[in-house]
Amino acid sequence: MTSIDELLRRNDELGNAVPGDRSSPMPSMKVAILTCMDSRIRVFEIFGLQQGEAHVLRNAGGVVTDDMIRSLALSQRKLGTREVLLVHHTNCGLELVTEDAFKDELEQDAGMRPTWSVEAFREVKDSVRNSMNRLRHSPFVPYRENVRGFVYDVHTGALTEVV
């Protein structure tokens, strides 16, 4: 059995048991949460979310990239969100690579160098600050006054605000 088969089996067992309002694509709490794709960050559980309450956007590192700005612009301009919660975390895989070394590896394997940034970092708080700065200066995201950034400790579950 593949992992996908196992996930489909679990979905079948779950049925329609997930609580929340599914009637609208507009999140009832009017918040978008941008975080890392790391599977240790259980967004719905750590914030006590139910379906329909928030947009949850994920990528490697939880960084504000052009694609995240695209999603946040749609989230705010067309789907009613007014706040953005950025959540990066301790022990992130992006701390284990460097921009140039990873791009060199990809270029060697694929025969071309990627045009996108890896967004590798050494200090997670600096990455949060960079992401908040990008978001707060984006002309495409109109509601920037309620942008807050945090570091989630994957071992303790604690959230520490970055200012």
Side-chain angles (χ1 to χ4, degrees):
M1 177 179 279
T2 68
S3 295
I4 293 172
D5 290 333
E6 172 62 16
L7 293 173
L8 292 172
R9 184 193 65 73
R10 290 179 189 179
N11 175 263
D12 190 48
E13 285 179 3
L14 181 64
N16 197 18
V18 180
D21 181 5
R22 300 181 210 181
S23 64
S24 172
M26 297 175 140
S28 63
M29 293 188 78
K30 300 185 182 312
V31 65
I33 301 169
L34 171 54
T35 191
C36 185
M37 65 186 189
D38 192 301
S39 61
R40 296 171 294 177
I41 303 171
R42 297 171 37 163
V43 180
F44 280 78
E45 288 85 351
I46 66 175
F47 292 113
L49 288 172
Q50 293 190 3
Q51 284 189 16
E53 290 185 323
H55 282 160
V56 177
L57 311 172
R58 298 181 87 137
N59 69 12
V63 295
V64 174
T65 61
D66 285 347
D67 190 54
M68 289 298 111
I69 288 175
R70 169 190 161 269
S71 293
L72 289 167
L74 286 162
S75 177
Q76 288 191 352
R77 292 175 180 269
K78 298 299 180 188
L79 297 168
T81 62
R82 297 297 181 259
E83 299 178 52
V84 180
L85 172 60
L86 298 172
V87 182
H88 295 204
H89 66 95
T90 59
N91 194 228
C92 184
L94 280 183
E95 295 172 313
L96 305 175
V97 300
T98 64
E99 189 82 19
D100 288 335
F102 190 64
K103 283 186 170 185
D104 290 346
E105 179 184 328
L106 292 174
E107 184 175 22
Q108 184 174 348
D109 288 349
M112 67 175 78
R113 194 166 189 84
T115 57
W116 38 262
S117 178
V118 177
E119 303 287 344
F121 57 87
R122 290 290 165 251
E123 174 54 51
V124 66
K125 289 180 183 178
D126 291 340
S127 181
V128 173
R129 284 186 196 99
N130 288 338
S131 284
M132 286 192 300
N133 188 45
R134 283 183 192 155
L135 190 52
R136 287 176 177 157
H137 290 92
S138 173
F140 304 112
V141 180
Y143 302 98
R144 300 176 292 225
E145 61 279 354
N146 285 318
V147 173
R148 294 174 66 186
F150 294 81
V151 174
Y152 174 73
D153 187 312
V154 295
H155 300 293
T156 67
L159 284 164
T160 302
E161 188 159 12
V162 177
V163 290

